[in-house]
Amino acid sequence: MSQGACENQLLSKLALSDKHGEASPYFHGWKAYDNNPFHPTHNPQGVIQMGLAENQLCSDLIKEWIKENPQASICTAEGIDSFSDIAVFQDYHGLKQFRQAIATFMERARGGRVRFEAERVVMSGGATGANETIMFCLADPGDAFLVPTPYYAAFDRDLRWRTGVRIIPVECSSSNNFQITKQALESAYLKAQETGIKIKGLIISNPLGTSLDRETLESLVSFINDKQIHLVCDEIYAATVFAEPGFISVAEIIQEMYYVNRDLIHIVYSLSKDMGLPGFRVGVVYSYNDVVVSCARRMSSFGLVSSQTQSFLAAMLSDQSFVDNFLVEVSKRVAKRHHMFTEGLEEMGISCLRSNAGLFVLMDLRHMLKDQTFDSEMALWRVIINKVKINVSPGSSFHCSEPGWFRVCFANMDEDTLQIALERIKDFVVGDRANKNKNCNCICNNKRENKKRKSFQKNLKLSLSSMRYEEHVRSPKLMSPHSPLLRA
Amino acid sequence: MGLPGKNKGAVLSKIATNNQHGENSEYFDGWKAYDKDPFHLSRNPHGIIQMGLAENQLCLDLIKDWVKENPEASICTLEGIHQFSDIANFQDYHGLKKFRQAIAHFMGKARGGRVTFDPERVVMSGGATGANETIMFCLADPGDVFLIPSPYYAAFDRDLRWRTGVEIIPVPCSSSDNFKLTVDAAEWAYKKAQESNKKVKGLILTNPSNPLGTMLDKDTLTNLVRFVTRKNIHLVVDEIYAATVFAGGDFVSVAEVVNDVDISEVNVDLIHIVYSLSKDMGLPGFRVGIVYSFNDSVVSCARKMSSFGLVSSQTQLMLASMLSDDQFVDNFLMESSRRLGIRHKVFTTGIKKADIACLTSNAGLFAWMDLRHLLRDRNSFESEIELWHIIIDRVKLNVSPGSSFRCTEPGWFRICFANMDDDTLHVALGRIQDFVSKNKNKIVEKASENDQVIQNKSAKKLKWTQTNLRLSFRRLYEDGLSSPGIMSPHSPLLRA
């Protein structure tokens, strides 16, 4: 290896920067899991992975379909005749039947209330590639995007690392269930303008497990239309909605708002969550802007979906009765799992933000903090990882503006494992309650006031920080193919 | 679309609105013509034959046979479905361990087993396209320069430059010494770049060469490795044609040179390889690109970047199984080389009958055809383009003009011969022979015009200078850059 000074000359600034995010303290949970992964028989005392938003609840339905449809694969005796055509296919439009199948699936995942044109479907290397691509298309280095907090931690890398784009957080508060308000948007927008930062758009994602209601979406669309900036809606959890209100796509909203400039509207989608196929790397950019469609398509050359995978999915997603049944069933199973988990938590006095979608809940542990500071949040988090032995994600890793919230995933494991996790949490909570009674006399007024000031300073610093990361940002060896977590 | 009169350009990024994707180039005329009138032996026997696409379809039957005999390699068969959940959820950017091991193993075998590759250094990318962009992002900042020998693969102008902001400066190679790259030429280009206050970060080249179809010998490679070490710049070698060698001895990978050169003469942190299964195995649709670096920091950075273009885990598993089958791999490499050799010989022998020569080559899926004697004016790129349009419109072949590869001399054309069946190749050869024989008279007529040529020599020279200058600013592209509708799944060109 070269000397340090030489190293700086040798590689690019991108290679030397830490915007890939893996130097973050938030990887502590992943490392703990990786060093000691739970397995019901091989390692029953190991760390349970609840920091990964994966959907493993319906892979059995897909396997059943595969068994009944051998011709869908180019690697079966029934499908081998297509092998040559598919193996050499590298057109960046993607297989026509694949684009059509994706468009149809997107429609059905939105209850058939909206139409999608296959010609606007552009492939990417997962939602990761899709998000980066849309940034390259819409913004220049130095430009910024507004992102409501808390937000998906990998955005800090995906949207920023190679594009040079900046993120301006729009703070949302638990007092109104983290809803995005026009006031907060205007405030963030004006502040950015005063600093001379060019805002190119607003990106909406849903790390809360809630779907946006119609009024909120309409106000967001009005906001960006007034400012003539872009709206990028990350709808990768569209089909994981399991309760009211149902999922409303921005595509639905703009159908009714005839005056909106559609050139400003773009959707990012993926099959990683709704179908539980992250390894297939199917990301989609869907834009109402013809120039963006064209540009994104050319950029997709850097992250095309394997034609083998395109061919298989085109066949499966074209099966209307399979898709309809799948969507109903995934919603049902996520609901059941969500209910099981939240009920379990409530029994021990832990509440969660009310949610109706996603593969996780936002758990409220504010009452378990020593004081309302992010330091206390981190301290509690380390206890949860090291002693309770559960890898969850602290709210600060999502740029949550209030300490005490934790995202907990529940769809990447079997029911037995979830029960074990609940028992561990219960043991911890009961133990914590006992400790709290013992120590209550030590709290004094002076200490409380100092902590409060510290909290404010911490909060201010955090809102300017942008170094938060988690899933999809893998540290070495995580989720190896032999992880006992995965069902084989 | 949207409000009337709205200025869309103002709203999008510079990258979205510039033309560095390259598809507005006139060099897409051949593709457009092919797309409108694609040849098919029975359905459209007078259509345009695609000879501008470097695809290897000669050995797909071997792969199909293997797939039939190994159903457990796919997660979509009864035999392999028990792995479905594990694989469908696998998204680690290291890739399946088995896949990396298989790739490293295959890379070793494709280089005659003379060098070993470390699976821990294998990083996935979205095809060689993604791999080349990734390596640029890792090594250079916007405005930095990479030297590249010309003629070179046209898509580099997009892949290396578009989103990275990196610049390319050609190292001209001449037909007088068979377009061989020399350290002197690299040295010259390096100095020229420095004189222009450009920061040169490295040299990137393709070995075996596209479009030449030739290999660098070990001495030249060794000298290049010493050159970059002296300059402290990177050497990126695109070896995606490593297993297409069909004659003339062994392919020498830069990895071999790294092993053999005295340790004091090489800084391994400067050496990187780009690889892909698109050409050697004929599987471009699977998007398997590889960055292999001897620099630990580059490996680490490229791996993180691979998140933007990972290979489908479904495809990883299948290929891991296939490439771990030594018997299959050994037979495949031998048979591929043999079939390419036969195809190359049939082609070059066929055009020799038309008095057309090619650069002597021993690798690749194409020949570098010398048509200088058919140009109206041997010093004119305009004449080259004129001839090219005749070849497309009248001969009905889509080939690639040398200027699209930034060749500094007009009259050379790359012609691909591995993406079609024998019958189609014979039709193409027949067309070429017909064309040349019909135009023999015109060549004779040309001789009688010598007096006029002499008189206009001065004017022609000026014209050439202007043309050459203009050309150097033009962006050129072809295969790997599919334009709309090209190579659709129903293209009659493909064997179904």
Side-chain angles (χ1 to χ4, degrees):
Chain A
M1 291 295 296
S2 298
Q3 306 298 315
C6 199
E7 185 74 26
N8 281 304
Q9 284 296 310
L10 224 56
L11 303 185
S12 66
K13 293 189 177 75
L14 280 182
L16 299 171
S17 85
D18 58 359
K19 286 187 183 178
H20 51 69
E22 292 186 22
S24 162
Y26 297 107
F27 272 90
H28 179 67
W30 284 85
K31 289 168 189 162
Y33 168 74
D34 190 46
N35 290 334
N36 185 24
F38 169 89
H39 186 274
T41 50
H42 304 327
N43 190 24
Q45 308 302 324
V47 177
I48 297 175
Q49 175 66 281
M50 300 186 93
L52 178 62
E54 265 181 15
N55 184 358
Q56 296 183 31
L57 304 182
C58 289
S59 57
D60 59 308
L61 299 182
I62 297 176
K63 286 162 77 174
E64 285 305 315
W65 186 88
I66 289 172
K67 288 177 190 170
E68 290 165 10
N69 294 273
Q71 77 287 349
S73 167
I74 57 175
C75 294
T76 60
E78 295 87 346
I80 193 88
D81 286 344
S82 305
F83 188 92
S84 296
D85 283 353
I86 298 301
V88 301
F89 182 82
Q90 55 178 322
D91 182 343
Y92 58 33
H93 286 77
L95 293 169
K96 190 175 182 184
Q97 55 267 37
F98 174 70
R99 282 185 285 121
Q100 286 171 341
I102 289 285
T104 301
F105 183 78
M106 285 172 71
E107 288 169 7
R108 305 203 81 76
R110 290 152 182 79
R113 296 183 301 275
V114 64
R115 300 305 303 266
F116 288 104
E117 296 175 52
E119 293 306 311
R120 292 187 178 278
V121 171
V122 178
M123 291 180 282
S124 275
T128 302
N131 280 317
E132 187 194 51
T133 295
I134 199 69
M135 287 298 103
F136 268 127
C137 290
L138 303 181
D140 291 323
D143 291 349
F145 262 77
L146 301 173
V147 184
T149 66
Y151 61 81
Y152 169 57
F155 274 176
D156 283 328
R157 174 198 68 169
D158 299 352
L159 307 182
R160 297 168 65 240
W161 190 20
R162 304 196 304 185
T163 63
V165 172
R166 294 193 254 191
I167 285 177
I168 304 284
V170 179
E171 289 191 13
C172 302
S173 161
S174 67
S175 60
N176 66 351
N177 296 325
F178 298 106
Q179 287 186 16
I180 308 168
T181 66
K182 188 140 192 178
Q183 185 178 342
L185 286 172
E186 290 284 359
S187 172
Y189 185 85
L190 286 176
K191 210 170 293 180
Q193 281 205 317
E194 284 160 13
T195 330
I197 296 173
K198 187 178 186 183
I199 300 289
K200 291 305 288 289
L202 166 66
I203 298 176
I204 304 298
S205 69
N206 285 301
L208 306 173
T210 60
S211 57
L212 295 179
D213 59 68
R214 182 173 298 272
E215 289 71 34
T216 300
L217 273 170
E218 283 171 358
S219 72
L220 294 179
V221 171
S222 292
F223 171 81
I224 59 99
N225 197 56
D226 286 346
K227 305 286 191 280
Q228 284 297 291
I229 61 178
H230 295 277
L231 177 60
V232 178
C233 292
D234 187 328
E235 300 189 347
I236 65 173
Y237 291 100
T240 65
V241 174
F242 54 82
E244 293 301 321
F247 177 72
I248 303 176
S249 169
V250 68
E252 220 175 313
I253 295 296
I254 63 175
Q255 279 182 151
E256 297 146 18
M257 302 172 77
Y258 64 90
Y259 57 89
V260 170
N261 179 5
R262 292 178 173 219
D263 283 344
L264 303 171
I265 310 295
H266 324 275
I267 296 172
V268 166
Y269 189 58
S270 163
L271 296 185
S272 300
K273 313 297 185 182
D274 288 350
M275 297 208 80
L277 304 170
F280 286 9
R281 314 307 299 162
V282 179
V284 174
V285 171
Y286 187 94
S287 176
Y288 289 89
N289 184 317
D290 291 344
V291 179
V292 169
V293 170
S294 177
C295 180
R297 182 156 282 138
R298 292 178 176 130
M299 289 192 180
S300 71
S301 292
F302 298 108
L304 290 170
V305 176
S306 167
S307 55
Q308 178 190 22
T309 292
Q310 286 184 51
S311 172
F312 164 67
L313 291 173
M316 185 167 69
L317 299 185
S318 296
D319 184 338
Q320 211 79 299
S321 86
F322 166 77
V323 167
D324 287 345
N325 178 64
F326 182 90
L327 290 172
V328 169
E329 194 63 23
V330 70
S331 179
K332 225 190 318 184
R333 294 186 189 187
V334 172
K336 181 185 176 191
R337 186 59 71 89
H338 175 272
H339 182 74
M340 176 183 169
F341 188 63
T342 53
E343 281 275 295
L345 292 180
E346 269 180 33
E347 283 169 14
M348 58 185 90
I350 295 179
S351 63
C352 298
L353 180 73
R354 187 191 175 268
S355 57
N356 64 322
L359 308 170
F360 37 72
V361 290
L362 197 62
M363 184 168 62
D364 184 359
L365 297 184
R366 289 177 292 174
H367 62 289
M368 297 186 75
L369 297 186
K370 197 180 300 179
D371 43 51
Q372 294 301 303
T373 65
F374 286 102
D375 286 340
S376 290
E377 176 180 279
M378 292 301 278
L380 176 57
W381 181 53
R382 289 188 200 283
V383 170
I384 296 173
I385 291 171
N386 296 325
K387 295 183 186 172
V388 187
K389 297 270 191 72
I390 291 170
N391 178 31
V392 298
S393 310
S396 51
S397 71
F398 299 94
H399 302 270
C400 187
S401 56
E402 305 163 24
W405 296 89
F406 292 78
R407 191 191 73 164
V408 190
C409 301
F410 54 68
N412 59 310
M413 62 193 73
D414 56 37
E415 221 167 84
D416 290 342
T417 303
L418 189 64
Q419 281 292 1
I420 292 172
L422 281 171
E423 282 160 17
R424 291 186 184 183
I425 297 174
K426 187 173 181 179
D427 289 346
F428 171 65
V429 169
V430 170
D432 181 76
R433 197 164 287 145
N435 278 337
K436 222 154 196 175
N437 291 335
K438 192 187 304 179
N439 294 327
C440 68
N441 292 331
C442 297
I443 299 172
C444 65
N445 286 342
N446 206 30
K447 202 163 190 180
R448 189 178 296 110
E449 188 153 348
N450 282 335
K451 291 297 183 182
K452 201 164 185 178
R453 183 176 304 111
K454 196 172 177 182
S455 170
F456 174 77
Q457 289 170 340
K458 183 69 171 184
N459 192 30
L460 182 65
K461 185 169 77 172
L462 188 72
S463 70
L464 297 172
S465 169
S466 53
M467 299 297 158
R468 312 295 181 214
Y469 308 93
E470 50 85 41
E471 57 137 352
H472 285 306
V473 180
R474 291 299 141 74
S475 66
K477 295 172 189 172
L478 288 183
M479 297 303 294
S480 77
H482 308 296
S483 168
L485 179 68
L486 300 177
R487 284 171 292 182
Chain B
M1 181 63 44
L3 301 181
K6 178 148 293 300
N7 180 5
K8 297 180 185 179
V11 184
L12 303 183
S13 66
K14 292 189 180 77
I15 285 178
T17 52
N18 69 27
N19 279 316
Q20 286 185 20
H21 50 71
E23 291 184 25
N24 294 346
S25 164
E26 63 178 335
Y27 293 107
F28 272 91
D29 287 353
W31 283 83
K32 289 169 188 165
Y34 167 76
D35 192 42
K36 286 175 188 164
D37 186 20
F39 171 88
H40 188 272
L41 266 180
S42 50
R43 295 198 284 269
N44 190 25
H46 301 289
I48 294 175
I49 298 175
Q50 175 66 282
M51 302 185 92
L53 178 62
E55 261 181 19
N56 186 357
Q57 295 185 32
L58 302 184
C59 289
L60 287 174
D61 59 307
L62 300 182
I63 296 177
K64 284 168 73 175
D65 287 345
W66 186 90
V67 167
K68 281 184 213 165
E69 290 164 12
N70 295 273
E72 74 285 349
S74 167
I75 55 176
C76 292
T77 61
L78 291 181
E79 294 86 347
I81 198 158
H82 64 280
Q83 304 171 95
F84 185 88
S85 294
D86 281 354
I87 297 301
N89 281 287
F90 183 82
Q91 54 180 320
D92 183 343
Y93 58 32
H94 286 77
L96 293 169
K97 189 175 183 184
K98 185 181 178 185
F99 175 71
R100 283 185 285 119
Q101 288 170 338
I103 289 286
H105 188 61
F106 183 76
M107 284 173 72
K109 284 201 168 275
R111 290 151 182 79
R114 295 182 303 279
V115 62
T116 302
F117 291 93
D118 179 0
E120 295 302 315
R121 294 187 177 278
V122 171
V123 178
M124 289 181 282
S125 275
T129 302
N132 280 316
E133 186 193 52
T134 294
I135 199 68
M136 289 296 111
F137 269 129
C138 290
L139 303 181
D141 291 321
D144 289 350
V145 166
F146 258 77
L147 306 177
I148 183 166
S150 69
Y152 61 83
Y153 170 58
F156 277 164
D157 279 331
R158 174 199 67 168
D159 299 351
L160 306 183
R161 298 171 65 250
W162 191 21
R163 303 196 304 184
T164 63
V166 172
E167 295 295 332
I168 282 178
I169 290 185
V171 181
C173 300
S174 165
S175 66
S176 60
D177 58 358
N178 295 326
F179 297 100
K180 182 172 173 176
L181 171 64
T182 65
V183 170
D184 285 346
E187 191 80 61
W188 177 85
Y190 181 87
K191 282 175 182 168
K192 289 277 285 184
Q194 281 206 317
E195 284 163 13
S196 309
N197 287 315
K198 305 278 190 178
K199 184 180 185 183
V200 177
K201 286 307 286 288
L203 168 68
I204 181 169
L205 56 92
T206 307
N207 183 42
S209 169
N210 174 17
L212 303 175
T214 57
M215 302 185 289
L216 289 181
D217 58 76
K218 189 164 188 180
D219 283 347
T220 300
L221 263 176
T222 302
N223 288 333
L224 288 171
V225 166
R226 291 187 179 123
F227 166 77
V228 299
T229 298
R230 280 201 312 274
K231 302 298 188 194
N232 200 36
I233 61 176
H234 295 277
L235 177 61
V236 178
V237 187
D238 189 332
E239 299 187 348
I240 66 172
Y241 292 98
T244 65
V245 176
F246 52 79
D250 294 323
F251 165 66
V252 179
S253 169
V254 70
E256 259 178 274
V257 173
V258 166
N259 280 353
D260 295 350
V261 172
D262 190 277
I263 196 95
S264 65
E265 289 189 303
V266 58
N267 178 359
V268 296
D269 284 341
L270 301 168
I271 312 297
H272 325 275
I273 296 172
V274 166
Y275 188 59
S276 166
L277 297 185
S278 300
K279 312 297 184 182
D280 287 351
M281 296 207 79
L283 304 169
F286 288 4
R287 313 310 297 164
V288 179
I290 302 292
V291 171
Y292 186 95
S293 176
F294 291 91
N295 183 317
D296 292 345
S297 297
V298 170
V299 170
S300 176
C301 180
R303 183 155 282 139
K304 295 177 174 95
M305 289 193 179
S306 70
S307 292
F308 299 108
L310 290 170
V311 176
S312 168
S313 54
Q314 178 188 27
T315 293
Q316 285 184 51
L317 180 73
M318 182 201 126
L319 293 172
S321 304
M322 189 188 311
L323 299 184
S324 298
D325 183 338
D326 271 355
Q327 187 178 331
F328 168 78
V329 168
D330 288 341
N331 179 64
F332 181 90
L333 290 173
M334 186 175 59
E335 188 64 17
S336 178
S337 178
R338 191 182 72 85
R339 294 184 189 185
L340 274 170
I342 291 172
R343 184 56 72 88
H344 176 266
K345 183 168 185 179
V346 166
F347 180 73
T348 52
T349 301
I351 61 177
K352 193 176 290 183
K353 291 176 183 174
D355 290 326
I356 294 175
C358 294
L359 182 71
T360 300
S361 60
N362 42 16
L365 310 172
F366 34 72
W368 191 232
M369 188 166 59
D370 182 1
L371 299 183
R372 289 177 291 176
H373 61 293
L374 295 180
L375 297 185
R376 191 161 46 77
D377 175 357
R378 275 178 78 114
N379 292 319
S380 158
F381 282 103
E382 284 170 350
S383 293
E384 176 182 279
I385 298 302
E386 182 185 330
L387 176 58
W388 180 52
H389 279 109
I390 290 172
I391 296 172
I392 291 173
D393 298 333
R394 299 194 208 164
V395 189
K396 295 280 196 89
L397 304 178
N398 178 32
V399 298
S400 309
S403 51
S404 70
F405 300 93
R406 303 191 67 171
C407 183
T408 54
E409 306 165 28
W412 296 88
F413 291 77
R414 191 190 74 166
I415 186 160
C416 302
F417 52 66
N419 59 311
M420 62 193 73
D421 55 37
D422 285 343
D423 291 340
T424 302
L425 186 66
H426 279 102
V427 172
L429 287 171
R431 292 184 183 181
I432 295 172
Q433 286 158 12
D434 285 351
F435 170 69
V436 171
S437 66
K438 281 175 188 170
N439 285 275
K440 276 228 154 88
N441 294 335
K442 292 185 180 175
I443 298 173
V444 172
E445 288 169 19
K446 205 164 190 178
S448 70
E449 295 172 4
N450 276 347
D451 289 345
Q452 293 188 42
V453 170
I454 291 169
Q455 289 174 24
N456 293 327
K457 199 167 186 180
S458 179
K460 292 289 188 186
K461 194 165 185 180
L462 176 62
K463 198 173 183 183
W464 175 84
T465 303
Q466 290 170 337
T467 301
N468 195 32
L469 184 66
R470 185 179 69 202
L471 189 69
S472 71
F473 290 112
R474 202 179 284 152
R475 300 304 169 209
L476 321 174
Y477 307 92
E478 51 79 37
D479 94 284
L481 284 174
S482 304
S483 67
I486 282 179
M487 297 304 295
S488 76
H490 308 296
S491 167
L493 179 68
L494 300 176
R495 285 171 292 183

